[in-house]
Each structure stands twice: as C-alpha cells, then as structure tokens.
C-alpha cells in the first residue's frame, strides 16, 4: 500500500493568508505616520522615551516567556510586545523620565499580560494597565505635559539636553504646559466657567493637527484617523467600536453642553481632545480585550464613550479614556455571553425557527 | 430574480482555472476495478455475485438492502476476481468489503432495463423505481441515495426542485464541465426528477464564476418555461443546501427541519444527468466525472472515470506527481477528506482528487487565539467557533453542544480564516463524533433498562399465572382476581417497548 500522506488532521486543506504576525504588523504600519509626526513634534526626549519603552516591553516579554518555558523567538516574532510597547509609549507624557517607560512596561507585559497566561489570555488591555498604574502611583511624573517643540526648531532641546530630560528628569519649568482637558478641569475647580477657559486652549485646527500638549502619540488626530481608516480598509478592525465609542461620547457631551455650556465642554471638544481618536481606533479595538461579536463591540464601544465622558467630567482625573477602556474590559466576558450571533435556523434563544410559508 | 443575502462565508483562492478549460476526458478502462459495497449513506449493499462470475457492463452486482441503501453495478464487462477487504476512500484507510472486477477489455453492456420513452407520462413511482435500481446517489459528495429523496413528493406537496450547480469548493470543476458539455442531459434529468417529485418549478443555481455553464444551461432551459437558471454570488459555502435555498428563496430552513419541509428539494447537477441516463437509456450509474487537480499533479484533468478505478490510476493518467503532495484529498480542499492511500477506489461521491502541495495548504502550527472574532463574523451558521473550541479543548462537550456545535456542518470557513491557524473544524468534528457516541450510548442504555423492566414484569406475570393456575386447581370455585392497577402499568410498559 502506498501511503502518500499522513491523514492526521481533518480539513480544510487551504488557508487564508492571515496570520497573527501580519495582523500586528499592519497595526504598527497604521500607527507609524502618527507616531513619526508626534516624535517630530516632541523631539529627542520623546524619541528616547519611545525607544526605551518599546525596548523594555520586548525585553520583559522575552524574560516572561523564558520563565514560563514557552518558545521565546517564535512568540516574540508575533510582534505583539512591540505593539503593546508602542501604544504604551504613545500614551505616556512625551518628556517623562526613562524609569516611567520601564516601570510601565513591567506592569503592562509582566503583570497585565503574562500573569494572565500570555497573548490572548489577558483580561485587561496591557498598555492601558501600564499607563493607569503609573498614573495612580506617580501622578506628578505622569502629568508633566509640554507644548510641542519640533525637532531642530528654535527652543527645542538638543540631544545632550534631551538626555538630561529623559535620564535626569530635568524638564525646564518654562517648557511645561497644561493639556486642554487638564486646563479646563483646573479652571472649573477655581470657579472659572468653561465658556471662559475655552478661550485659552488651542483652537480646533491646532487640536486636530497635533500642535497641543498631550501624551506622546495622541495629538495628531488626522494621522491617527488616517491610520484607523487604513486598518478598516485592511479589515483588521471594523467600524463598530470606533463609531459607537466616538458617537456615544459626542452625543452625551453635546447633550450636556446644550443643557449647561458653562459647566460642560462641547461634543466636538471631547472628540478632538485627549486620547479619544487614538483610543477609539487603536486601544479600545484591541482584539484580546474587546468583545468578539459585532453587536458586542457596539455595546463595548458605547460603554467606553460614556465612561470616558463621565470620568472627564465628574472624576478627579481630567482624562478618562484609559480607565474607561479598563472598566469595559472587565465586562467583555459578560458582553460576549449576551451578544452571541443568532444561529442559522434558530431564534435568539436557540430554539428552531417556526416553519415559514412555502415559497 | 432577486438573490437574498446569506450570512458569513469566505472568498478562498478558487484555483478553478487549473482545470476549468480542460474538457471531460475518458479514463482508459483500468484492468481491475474495486467496487466497495458501501459508497453511500446508509446500509452497505448485498453482494449478488461470487468469485469467477462473468459480468456485463451495467449488470447489478450488489443490491440495496434496508430502507436507506443503494445498489451497485459492474462498471465494465469482465469477471469477478474476488470479494474481499480493500482500503476504503476514507481518512482512516480502513478496509471494507469490496468486489474486485477484472476487465475483459470489451466494455460490453449487458441487458439493461427498457428506456422510458415518455417519462412525463408515467407514474412518478416508475421513475423512482428506475432511479433506485440504477444505484444513483447524490453526486455532490454526500452520496445520499437519490431515490429516497425523489420519494419525498409522496409524503408532502413540494414546490421547487433546486438543482445545485454552485460548485463552491475551490479547484473542483467537474460540475462546471458537466453543465457546459451536457447541459441538455442535465436539464432533461432535472425535468424528469421534477415530474417524480411533483414540483411545478425547477431552479438551477450556479455561482457567477461559471459564466459558460450559466450560458449553456440557460440555453438548454430556454424551451422549458418552468425551468429557470439563476446566477448566485461567489461566496463559499454557497453550495450548502440550506444556504443555497436561502440565497434563492430568502427562506431560512429551521434547525432540525429539512428543506423539503419548505417544499424545496435540492439535487446536484451530476445526479440529474445520471437520472437522465437511467431513465432515457436504462443505464445505471457506473462512471462519474472527477476533477484531478492540485499543485502536485503534473497534468490536471477532468476525467470520466469508472466507479472502482483506483485513485492511483487517475493520478497516473494525469502524469503523476510533479511535486511531493503534502496531502491527497478526496473532494474539495474545504470539506474534502484526507486520503490515507492512493489504492482506494473512486466511488460515486468522489467529486475530486486533489494532490496539494504544502504551499497550497499553508498549514502552520496553531498559536494562541487572539480573539479577533473573524470566525464569528464568517460562520455561515451563526455560531461562535472561538467559544466552542475553547470548551472542547477542556473536553466540556456539554457546553459546546449548548453553544450549537451540532449545528456546525464543518464547512471549514473558520479554520480557513483563523490568523492563529487553530484547527477549529478538527475540534468540532471531534466533539460531534463524541456527542453522537454519547447519544447512541444513552439510547442503548435506555433500551436495555426498558427491556430489563419488561422482563421482570413478564417473569412476575408468568409466576402469577402459575399461582393462579395452582389456586384454580385447588379451589375451582374461587374467582380469579387480577390486580387492576399493576396490570395497567405493565400494559403501558409493554406498549412502550412495542412502540
């Protein structure tokens, strides 16, 4: 008998060209333009911190894999640690000291990812865990915002000065600036209404292009939006989470702004400030920690939008995107259970459909 | 005609162009044919010949037995060499009883049943009988005895005969070629089947990637107002019976019901042609068109092969292997079965033999699920493969069953799309097999329990009768008084057994 092949596994004997590595790589590609532009805006200190954070994530991933006895090289090749580090760096203050990036990487990769079993097993978005743990533990270092100082422009720190900023923690006082959300919140606490404080934040054009203080990768909205649309075109993400998240945020903000413009900022302001767009396309859409079905993703996105708005307006922190994502992450398993698709030939309860009239 | 949307589905690399322009070539009659007794769903056929018997082409050599079964006929003239165990065309490669026929090279037809000259004037029963004695089974791959499906019209009023020419599996072009080269025969067979079923309408569904087939069939159907050819979108698995019915009529077949409950019966195009041959010429099903393709085949072809030809004979006629095949598949790459050996024969359900290279299969070791949700988006059955496979991996089959794993028909779309290369269908096939075993064990145990209970009652009854007889002997004056309530309970149990 001429045995030609082992018949160990059932079909199919064909496979699409998708792979985990390819997916991660496409996301990195989509992030690249916005990242490059923001690194240019925030200069050498940002480049240093970005490199340190991504490098730390990859190194910690390697250590964790080694400790867990999993294949190190093959798993690193999936690029998921690079993506986590990249998103984490984008969510940090651009001129934060080096240890912020390293500690955040430990929390993100070791605690949020590998303690839960590695890729695919984590409940919470690793990059957002890294960011929020740092924000709660080191509130001062995590809120040093600076206005953009484009590379090679007058007043931008040179390489030596940048090393002092990143490794010495010497951010000159004259260079720091408040983020728009932070400014509004501070002014409100001093009794100054939104209508008045809004005049001091950058105008809509600067907010959209990225000429404002904020986290390293969140400010160049147009490029982030372009990256997000690219991911949709590549079918890596679908419209459900971004649209439901930004839609719910916009609607509730616009509603309250209409009711009390002195207390609440407008829907548009909420869309263009903070990490809204970055979060909607790149963070809330994380596969592992968001619901798997499309209807579940709509619920999830809407939850993130509403929570973000609530935290921005009623909690102690000016920005609530990361918290909102983490809170909704914890609901993902429950959302998954209640948003399973309807099976063919069955109703939502799983009972067979009634027999229809003949054609 | 309006086409309705069907949920999910994928667009694999079709690679039909490898053989779509290769006309049907007749495979030279091999010296030896291997005809398994079971080539169909149901009971194996009963052997009618012994070693040494001379047979003519078309002579019945194995008769259907039981309610679901199919007969088999000699694919050529010659002599029965042996009836023995031969490797089956099945992933296990396990042997099954097979009639080995040595060809005499004359290929002489024997006495065939009389052609039915006007099939539309005869009773549907006559068509049904002819199809049954011609050994015709569903040629799309499922191999369900066609006569039984043609009988559905006796039980309920049917509206539409839907002829499945979707051929949604990649690589396969055998139905495409049959429709292009024998459109008139297919349409005639379909009309005969419609007469047998009592359906006023015939709809022929063909995927849009077969424009020549659509054209040929439309031309062949043009003289018959009740026959309609419909182009359906190219979307795997459009050829699934339920999904094709939904695309064409918009009706979703309820779970645990058949399309026949909606008044629609689906047959494959090649089956219709076989019916044409059986009715018009009395010829049983002794050969079929098989697509021999794949990157490892030197000269891919569409072959008219006799049933029982060794797969190795087909491969050899196609120039053998040009590269090392990673897998040889019986059927299409999506739902076909891996073949353990090339010594297995072509059977009535063999639509394709694919020798695929590692590159074409693109198999990789599975990595962790990243919960991308693609499998949910594309599942044509609306299931949640990611969740089901997680439970099956923990051997929690009960929960997997609750999530609907038994509704899965193993189309393979989820495995195809999975970026982590998780063999999802493999898990589901495992779960379905285990659950079926458990169910049959449960039924068996129930039956045994019932029989045991009945036996106790029977023994008791006998003892009571004995006592009563004794008592009657000793006290002939006393009245026999059977216990009322206990007697009723016994009767009920007995009824259950008889039912």
């Amino acid at each position: 008998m001429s045995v030609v092949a082992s018949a160990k596994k059932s079909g199919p004997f064909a496979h699409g060209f998708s792979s985990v590595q390819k997916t991660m790589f496409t996301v990195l590609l989509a992030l690249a333009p916005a990242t490059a532009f923001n690194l240019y805006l925030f200069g050498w200190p940002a480049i240093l911190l970005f490199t340190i954070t991504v490098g730390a994530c990859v190194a910690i991933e390697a250590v964790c894999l080694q400790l867990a006895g999993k294949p190190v090289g093959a798993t690193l090749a999936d690029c998921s640690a690079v993506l986590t580090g990249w998103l984490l760096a984008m969510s940090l203050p651009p001129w934060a000291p080096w240890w912020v990036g390293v500690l955040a990487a430990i929390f993100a990769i070791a605690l949020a990812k590998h303690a839960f079993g590695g890729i695919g097993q984590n409940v919470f978005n690793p990059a957002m865990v890294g960011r929020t743990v740092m924000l709660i533990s080191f509130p001062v270092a995590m809120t040093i915002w600076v206005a953009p100082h484009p590379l090679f422009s007058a007043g931008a720190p040179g390489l030596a000065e940048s090393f002092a900023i990143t490794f010495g923690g010497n951010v000159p006082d004259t260079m720091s600036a408040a983020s728009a959300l932070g400014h509004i919140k501070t002014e409100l606490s001093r009794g100054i209404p939104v209508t008045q404080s809004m005049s001091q934040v950058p105008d809509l054009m600067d907010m959209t292009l990225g000429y404002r203080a904020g986290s390293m990768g969140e400010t160049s909205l147009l490029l982030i939006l372009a990256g997000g649309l690219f991911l949709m075109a590549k079918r890596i993400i679908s419209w459900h989470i971004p649209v439901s998240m930004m839609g719910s945020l916009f609607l509730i903000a616009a509603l309250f702004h209409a009711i009390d413009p002195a207390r609440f900022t407008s829907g548009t302001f909420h869309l263009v400030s903070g990490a809204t767009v970055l979060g909607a396309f790149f963070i809330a859409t994380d596969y592992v920690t968001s619901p798997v079905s499309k209807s579940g993703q709509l619920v999830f996105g809407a939850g993130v939008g509403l929570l973000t708005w609530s935290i921005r307006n009623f909690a102690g922190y000016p920005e609530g995107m990361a918290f909102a994502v983490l809170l909704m992450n914890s609901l993902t398993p429950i959302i998954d259970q209640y948003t399973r698709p309807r099976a063919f030939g069955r109703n939502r309860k799983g009972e067979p459909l009634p027999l229809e009239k003949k054609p | 005609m309006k086409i309705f949307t069907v949920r999910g589905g994928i667009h694999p690399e079709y690679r039909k162009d490898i053989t779509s322009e290769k006309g049907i070539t007749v495979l030279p009659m091999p010296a030896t044919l291997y005809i398994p007794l079971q080539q169909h769903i149901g009971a194996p056929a009963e052997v009618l010949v012994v070693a040494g018997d001379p047979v003519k082409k078309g002579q019945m050599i194995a008769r259907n037995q039981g309610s679901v079964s199919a007969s088999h006929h000699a694919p050529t003239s010659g002599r029965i060499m042996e009836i023995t165990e031969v490797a089956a065309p099945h992933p296990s490669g396990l042997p099954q009883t097979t009639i080995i026929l040595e060809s005499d090279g004359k290929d002489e037809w024997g006495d065939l049943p009389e052609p039915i000259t006007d099939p539309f004037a005869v009773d549907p029963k006559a068509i049904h009988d002819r199809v049954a004695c011609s050994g015709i089974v569903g040629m799309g791959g499922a191999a369900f005895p066609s006569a039984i499906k043609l009988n559905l019209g006796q039980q309920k009023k049917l509206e539409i005969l839907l002829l499945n020419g979707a051929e949604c599996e990649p690589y396969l072009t055998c139905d495409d070629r049959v429709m292009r080269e024998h459109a008139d025969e297919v349409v005639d067979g379909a009309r005969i089947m419609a007469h047998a079923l009592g359906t006023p309408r015939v709809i022929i569904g063909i995927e849009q990637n077969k424009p020549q087939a659509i054209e040929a069939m439309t031309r062949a159907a043009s003289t018959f107002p009740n026959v309609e050819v419909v182009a359906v979108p190219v979307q795997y698995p459009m050829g699934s019976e339920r999904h094709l019915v939904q695309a064409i009529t918009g009706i979703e077949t309820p779970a645990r019901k058949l399309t026949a409950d909606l008044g629609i019966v689906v047959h494959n195009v090649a089956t219709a042609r076989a019916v044409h041959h059986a009715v018009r010429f009395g010829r049983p099903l002794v050969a079929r068109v098989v697509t021999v393709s794949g990157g490892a085949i030197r000269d891919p072809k569409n072959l008219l092969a006799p049933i029982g030809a060794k797969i190795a004979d087909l491969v050899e006629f196609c120039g053998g292997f040009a590269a090392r095949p990673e897998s040889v598949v019986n059927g299409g790459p999506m739902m076909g079965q891996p073949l353990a050996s090339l010594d297995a024969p072509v059977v009535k359900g063999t639509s394709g033999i694919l020798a695929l290279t590692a590159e074409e299969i693109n198999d990789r070791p599975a990595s962790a699920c990243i919960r991308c949700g693609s499998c949910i988006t594309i599942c044509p059955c609306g299931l949640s493969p990611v969740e089901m496979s997680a439970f099956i991996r923990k051997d929690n089959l009960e929960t997997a069953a609750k999530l609907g794993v038994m509704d899965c028909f193993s189309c393979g779309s989820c495995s195809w799309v999975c970026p982590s290369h998780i063999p999802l269908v493999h898990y589901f096939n495992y779960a379905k097999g285990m659950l079926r075993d458990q169910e049959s064990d449960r039924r068996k145990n129930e039956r045994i329990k019932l029989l045991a209970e009945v036996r106790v009652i029977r023994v008791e009854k006998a003892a009571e009768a004995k006592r009563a007889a004794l008592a009657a002997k000793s006290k002939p004056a006393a009245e026999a008084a059977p216990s009322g309530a206990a007697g009723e309970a016994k009767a009920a149990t007995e009824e259950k057994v008889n039912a």
Side-chain angles (χ1 to χ4, degrees):
Chain A
M1 184 189 278
S2 62
V3 173
V4 290
S6 55
K8 275 181 286 190
K9 200 162 83 180
S10 71
F13 299 91
H15 196 281
F17 291 100
S18 60
S19 74
V20 175
Q21 188 185 29
K22 210 166 173 176
T23 304
M24 299 289 173
F25 201 76
T26 313
V27 180
L28 293 180
L29 198 65
L31 278 170
T35 311
F37 185 64
N38 268 62
L39 291 182
Y40 161 75
L41 280 185
F42 292 114
W44 283 113
I47 295 171
L48 290 174
L49 181 64
F50 180 83
T51 315
I52 290 165
T53 310
V54 175
C57 279
V58 173
I60 293 158
E61 170 107 339
V63 171
C64 289
L65 289 169
Q66 181 75 44
L67 287 176
K70 292 177 184 166
V72 178
T75 316
L76 278 184
D78 70 20
C79 285
S80 68
V82 176
L83 180 57
T84 301
W86 193 307
L87 286 169
L88 178 58
M90 287 181 93
S91 75
L92 296 176
W95 288 16
W98 66 274
W99 54 266
V100 166
V102 173
L103 274 182
I106 293 173
F107 287 124
I109 299 285
L111 189 78
K113 188 177 175 187
H114 282 281
F116 284 86
I119 186 167
Q121 303 294 316
N122 47 302
V123 180
F124 298 101
N125 185 313
M128 290 303 100
V129 170
R131 179 192 144 80
T132 43
V133 171
M134 292 305 288
L135 180 62
I136 294 165
S137 314
F138 306 97
V140 177
M142 285 294 287
T143 50
I144 303 171
W145 308 112
V146 290
H149 290 79
L151 273 176
F152 316 120
S153 67
L159 198 50
E161 212 181 328
S162 300
F163 269 94
I165 290 169
T166 307
F167 293 98
N170 302 320
V171 178
D173 278 348
T174 51
M175 284 190 169
S176 68
S179 70
L181 283 166
H183 176 71
I184 303 280
K185 185 142 227 161
T186 318
E187 296 296 87
L188 263 179
S189 67
R190 295 200 304 154
I192 295 167
V194 168
T195 31
Q196 202 176 323
S197 57
M198 271 300 279
S199 61
Q200 285 134 27
V201 303
D203 63 18
L204 194 62
M205 182 62 95
D206 279 353
M207 292 289 277
T208 321
L209 291 178
Y211 290 96
R212 60 164 163 113
S215 293
M216 193 192 292
E218 71 183 21
T219 70
S220 55
L221 298 195
L222 286 183
L223 290 176
I224 295 171
L225 190 67
L229 295 176
F230 170 73
L231 285 189
M232 278 193 203
K234 285 272 168 195
R235 295 180 181 249
I236 300 287
I237 61 170
S238 63
W239 58 268
H240 301 78
I241 289 180
V243 168
S244 68
M245 184 199 144
M246 295 198 294
S248 65
L249 176 63
F250 179 83
L251 286 179
I252 193 166
L255 176 71
F256 277 79
H257 179 65
I259 293 169
D260 186 356
R263 168 74 179 83
F264 299 102
T265 48
S266 70
T268 318
F269 177 74
H270 274 282
L271 282 190
V272 299
S273 56
T276 306
V277 180
L278 179 68
F281 286 98
F282 289 94
I283 293 174
T285 51
D286 171 43
Y287 283 158
V288 177
T289 56
S290 65
V292 282
S293 73
K294 299 290 176 235
S295 48
Q297 289 171 1
L298 286 177
V299 175
F300 179 87
V304 173
L306 296 178
L307 281 171
T308 301
W309 180 83
S310 308
I311 295 167
R312 282 179 179 179
N313 283 293
F314 304 115
Y317 293 94
E319 171 58 309
M321 226 282 307
F323 292 106
V325 167
L326 292 177
L327 285 169
M328 289 311 291
N329 284 165
S330 67
L331 288 180
T332 293
I334 290 180
I335 296 174
D336 270 343
Q337 261 192 42
Y338 286 98
T339 53
R340 284 191 196 109
R342 181 181 68 79
F344 189 97
R346 293 180 186 272
N347 63 17
R348 288 242 160 245
K349 285 184 208 153
E351 298 153 351
L353 292 177
L355 211 51
E356 268 185 69
K357 281 262 170 259
K358 286 174 182 181
Chain B
M1 190 174 197
K2 182 180 158 37
I3 297 292
F4 297 84
T5 3
V6 174
R7 184 192 200 283
I10 55 168
H11 296 95
E13 294 264 316
Y14 281 98
R15 298 189 178 125
K16 284 181 186 278
D17 51 345
I18 303 176
T19 51
S20 61
E21 302 316 310
K22 304 275 175 75
I24 300 168
T25 313
V26 180
L27 177 77
M29 186 58 68
T32 317
L33 295 175
Y34 303 81
I35 304 116
L37 294 183
Q38 179 150 32
Q39 307 183 25
H40 50 267
I41 290 177
E46 181 190 2
V47 188
L48 300 179
V49 287
V50 291
D53 281 0
V55 292
K56 292 280 187 212
K57 184 175 183 176
Q59 180 184 335
M60 191 184 286
I61 52 175
R63 189 195 306 277
N64 58 324
Q65 57 174 353
S67 54
V68 181
S69 184
S71 306
H72 303 303
H73 303 76
T76 189
S77 56
R79 198 176 56 86
I80 305 296
M81 282 167 71
E82 207 183 351
I83 296 157
T84 183
E85 305 275 289
V86 171
H90 182 270
S92 68
L94 287 175
Q96 70 154 321
T97 312
T98 300
I99 300 171
I100 303 179
L101 169 61
E102 187 186 36
S103 162
D104 60 10
K106 293 180 195 149
D107 205 28
E108 271 177 344
W109 284 98
D111 295 332
L112 296 176
E114 278 299 304
I116 302 175
T117 41
D118 187 2
F120 304 103
V122 301
D123 188 70
K125 177 90 174 51
I127 307 286
H128 163 259
D129 288 347
R130 174 57 56 89
V131 170
C133 80
S134 301
I136 299 174
V137 302
M139 290 167 77
F144 187 81
S146 301
I148 298 167
K149 257 168 110 178
L150 281 184
N151 227 3
L152 288 166
Q154 311 292 320
Q155 296 151 27
K156 47 193 114 196
K157 182 85 188 73
L158 301 172
E159 301 297 326
I160 297 174
L161 164 64
L162 181 53
L163 213 57
N164 189 346
E167 200 168 52
C168 63
E169 275 272 12
Y171 294 89
L172 301 189
T173 56
C174 53
D175 288 352
D176 184 15
R177 290 313 309 188
V178 165
M179 288 189 284
R180 281 204 225 176
E181 297 180 32
H182 304 286
D184 290 324
E185 296 181 13
V186 173
V187 171
D188 184 62
R191 291 177 60 237
I192 295 171
M193 288 163 112
H195 172 65
L197 287 162
T199 59
R201 292 174 70 192
V202 178
I203 298 177
I204 302 167
I206 306 170
E207 269 193 0
Q208 281 156 355
N209 58 2
K210 292 178 264 296
Q212 294 97 328
I214 294 173
E215 201 201 316
M217 293 294 285
T218 309
R219 206 180 316 117
S222 58
T223 42
F224 309 108
N226 66 329
V227 183
E228 200 177 342
V229 177
V230 177
V232 293
V234 181
Q235 173 188 342
Y236 180 87
M238 189 51 83
S240 145
E241 184 170 285
R242 283 155 193 259
H243 294 88
L244 189 63
V245 166
Q246 190 183 26
I248 286 175
T249 66
I251 306 176
E252 192 174 324
T253 313
R256 292 194 221 135
K257 295 279 179 197
L258 302 170
T259 58
D261 295 314
L262 307 169
I264 305 163
V265 175
V266 184
H267 278 284
N268 171 268
V269 286
T271 314
R273 184 173 174 232
V275 169
H276 163 85
H277 285 160
V279 171
R280 298 283 187 184
F281 305 102
R283 284 185 214 145
L285 177 56
V286 289
R288 67 156 299 147
V289 182
V290 181
T291 300
V292 183
S293 186
I297 295 281
R298 194 178 305 277
D299 186 13
K301 284 182 165 65
N302 281 301
L303 294 180
L304 179 68
I307 303 302
K310 263 206 302 201
I311 287 163
D313 294 337
L314 277 69
V315 171
E316 199 190 327
F317 185 68
C318 293
F321 295 131
R324 197 187 83 84
E326 179 69 17
S327 278
V328 178
V329 180
N330 178 11
M334 296 302 295
M335 289 186 72
Q337 302 276 357
L339 275 171
S341 159
L342 290 184
D343 290 338
V346 166
V347 291
K348 292 172 181 175
T350 309
S351 49
I353 299 295
L354 306 179
L356 302 170
T357 61
E359 198 187 338
E360 288 173 291
I361 297 173
N362 188 19
D363 192 21
R364 282 187 221 174
S367 56
C369 169
I370 54 166
R371 290 173 41 84
C372 68
S374 307
C375 53
I376 295 181
T377 311
I378 56 83
C379 178
C381 294
L383 302 172
S384 180
V386 49
E387 271 188 282
M388 296 195 303
S389 66
F391 284 113
I392 295 165
R393 279 175 72 150
K394 299 278 171 224
D395 224 9
N396 185 346
L397 300 183
E398 209 175 305
T399 311
K402 268 187 204 141
L403 292 177
V405 72
M406 295 309 273
D407 284 7
C408 164
F409 70 102
S410 302
C411 72
S413 300
C414 53
S415 296
W416 182 88
V417 83
C418 180
S420 298
H421 284 254
I422 298 170
L424 294 155
V425 174
H426 194 77
Y427 286 127
F428 304 149
N429 287 345
Y430 162 78
K432 284 189 277 186
M434 290 299 280
L435 286 166
R436 254 181 232 126
D437 278 359
Q438 284 172 11
E439 177 61 18
S440 80
D441 280 355
R442 193 186 59 75
R443 278 204 199 132
K444 202 161 133 194
N445 286 339
E446 252 173 31
R447 177 93 188 147
I448 290 170
K449 207 173 134 202
L450 194 64
L451 290 174
E453 276 169 17
V454 172
R455 183 180 176 275
V456 170
I457 293 168
R458 201 172 54 231
V459 170
E460 237 171 55
K461 221 179 190 175
E464 202 176 303
K466 218 177 209 175
R467 272 200 304 277
L470 273 175
K473 232 182 231 172
S474 58
K475 268 193 231 165
E479 273 179 322
S483 50
E488 266 168 41
K490 276 175 217 163
T493 318
E494 268 168 20
E495 229 166 71
K496 233 160 102 191
V497 172
N498 294 334

mmCIF file of all heavy atoms in Angstrom, chain B residues 60-71:
data_model
loop_
_atom_site.group_PDB
_atom_site.id
_atom_site.type_symbol
_atom_site.label_atom_id
_atom_site.label_comp_id
_atom_site.label_asym_id
_atom_site.label_seq_id
_atom_site.Cartn_x
_atom_site.Cartn_y
_atom_site.Cartn_z
ATOM 1 N N MET B 60 -26.281 -5.589 -12.328
ATOM 2 C CA MET B 60 -26.270 -5.321 -10.890
ATOM 3 C C MET B 60 -25.434 -6.378 -10.193
ATOM 4 O O MET B 60 -25.649 -7.571 -10.385
ATOM 5 C CB MET B 60 -27.690 -5.307 -10.333
ATOM 6 C CG MET B 60 -27.744 -4.776 -8.904
ATOM 7 S SD MET B 60 -29.389 -4.853 -8.175
ATOM 8 C CE MET B 60 -30.232 -3.551 -9.011
ATOM 9 N N ILE B 61 -24.450 -5.953 -9.412
ATOM 10 C CA ILE B 61 -23.600 -6.919 -8.717
ATOM 11 C C ILE B 61 -23.798 -6.854 -7.206
ATOM 12 O O ILE B 61 -23.323 -7.713 -6.474
ATOM 13 C CB ILE B 61 -22.105 -6.732 -9.073
ATOM 14 C CG1 ILE B 61 -21.672 -5.275 -8.875
ATOM 15 C CG2 ILE B 61 -21.832 -7.171 -10.507
ATOM 16 C CD1 ILE B 61 -20.185 -5.055 -9.095
ATOM 17 N N ALA B 62 -24.495 -5.835 -6.736
ATOM 18 C CA ALA B 62 -24.821 -5.737 -5.305
ATOM 19 C C ALA B 62 -26.143 -4.989 -5.188
ATOM 20 O O ALA B 62 -26.343 -3.975 -5.845
ATOM 21 C CB ALA B 62 -23.717 -5.008 -4.557
ATOM 22 N N ARG B 63 -27.059 -5.554 -4.372
ATOM 23 C CA ARG B 63 -28.398 -4.988 -4.286
ATOM 24 C C ARG B 63 -28.570 -4.197 -2.991
ATOM 25 O O ARG B 63 -28.045 -4.583 -1.955
ATOM 26 C CB ARG B 63 -29.424 -6.131 -4.337
ATOM 27 C CG ARG B 63 -30.873 -5.646 -4.466
ATOM 28 C CD ARG B 63 -31.863 -6.741 -4.140
ATOM 29 N NE ARG B 63 -31.644 -7.954 -4.910
ATOM 30 C CZ ARG B 63 -32.102 -8.140 -6.157
ATOM 31 N NH1 ARG B 63 -32.795 -7.207 -6.734
ATOM 32 N NH2 ARG B 63 -31.865 -9.267 -6.780
ATOM 33 N N ASN B 64 -29.346 -3.099 -3.098
ATOM 34 C CA ASN B 64 -29.605 -2.301 -1.890
ATOM 35 C C ASN B 64 -30.355 -3.137 -0.862
ATOM 36 O O ASN B 64 -31.200 -3.948 -1.205
ATOM 37 C CB ASN B 64 -30.384 -1.041 -2.246
ATOM 38 C CG ASN B 64 -31.698 -1.341 -2.934
ATOM 39 O OD1 ASN B 64 -31.787 -2.283 -3.711
ATOM 40 N ND2 ASN B 64 -32.706 -0.556 -2.650
ATOM 41 N N GLN B 65 -30.045 -2.938 0.388
ATOM 42 C CA GLN B 65 -30.776 -3.639 1.447
ATOM 43 C C GLN B 65 -31.085 -2.670 2.571
ATOM 44 O O GLN B 65 -30.290 -1.804 2.903
ATOM 45 C CB GLN B 65 -29.985 -4.841 1.957
ATOM 46 C CG GLN B 65 -28.602 -4.500 2.467
ATOM 47 C CD GLN B 65 -27.926 -5.690 3.091
ATOM 48 O OE1 GLN B 65 -28.521 -6.742 3.271
ATOM 49 N NE2 GLN B 65 -26.655 -5.533 3.434
ATOM 50 N N GLY B 66 -32.265 -2.815 3.147
ATOM 51 C CA GLY B 66 -32.688 -1.888 4.188
ATOM 52 C C GLY B 66 -33.319 -0.665 3.561
ATOM 53 O O GLY B 66 -33.379 -0.530 2.342
ATOM 54 N N SER B 67 -33.789 0.246 4.418
ATOM 55 C CA SER B 67 -34.561 1.371 3.900
ATOM 56 C C SER B 67 -33.673 2.412 3.226
ATOM 57 O O SER B 67 -34.063 3.045 2.254
ATOM 58 C CB SER B 67 -35.375 2.003 5.018
ATOM 59 O OG SER B 67 -34.518 2.339 6.084
ATOM 60 N N VAL B 68 -32.453 2.620 3.726
ATOM 61 C CA VAL B 68 -31.542 3.576 3.103
ATOM 62 C C VAL B 68 -30.322 2.810 2.615
ATOM 63 O O VAL B 68 -29.506 2.340 3.397
ATOM 64 C CB VAL B 68 -31.107 4.674 4.100
ATOM 65 C CG1 VAL B 68 -30.171 5.666 3.431
ATOM 66 C CG2 VAL B 68 -32.311 5.374 4.678
ATOM 67 N N SER B 69 -30.221 2.685 1.293
ATOM 68 C CA SER B 69 -29.109 1.934 0.720
ATOM 69 C C SER B 69 -29.104 2.173 -0.785
ATOM 70 O O SER B 69 -30.026 2.792 -1.313
ATOM 71 C CB SER B 69 -29.267 0.441 1.024
ATOM 72 O OG SER B 69 -28.152 -0.281 0.562
ATOM 73 N N ALA B 70 -28.062 1.689 -1.474
ATOM 74 C CA ALA B 70 -28.016 1.847 -2.927
ATOM 75 C C ALA B 70 -27.379 0.609 -3.545
ATOM 76 O O ALA B 70 -26.495 -0.001 -2.946
ATOM 77 C CB ALA B 70 -27.215 3.088 -3.303
ATOM 78 N N SER B 71 -27.861 0.264 -4.742
ATOM 79 C CA SER B 71 -27.292 -0.887 -5.471
ATOM 80 C C SER B 71 -26.034 -0.454 -6.209
ATOM 81 O O SER B 71 -25.811 0.739 -6.430
ATOM 82 C CB SER B 71 -28.299 -1.388 -6.504
ATOM 83 O OG SER B 71 -29.514 -1.656 -5.884
#
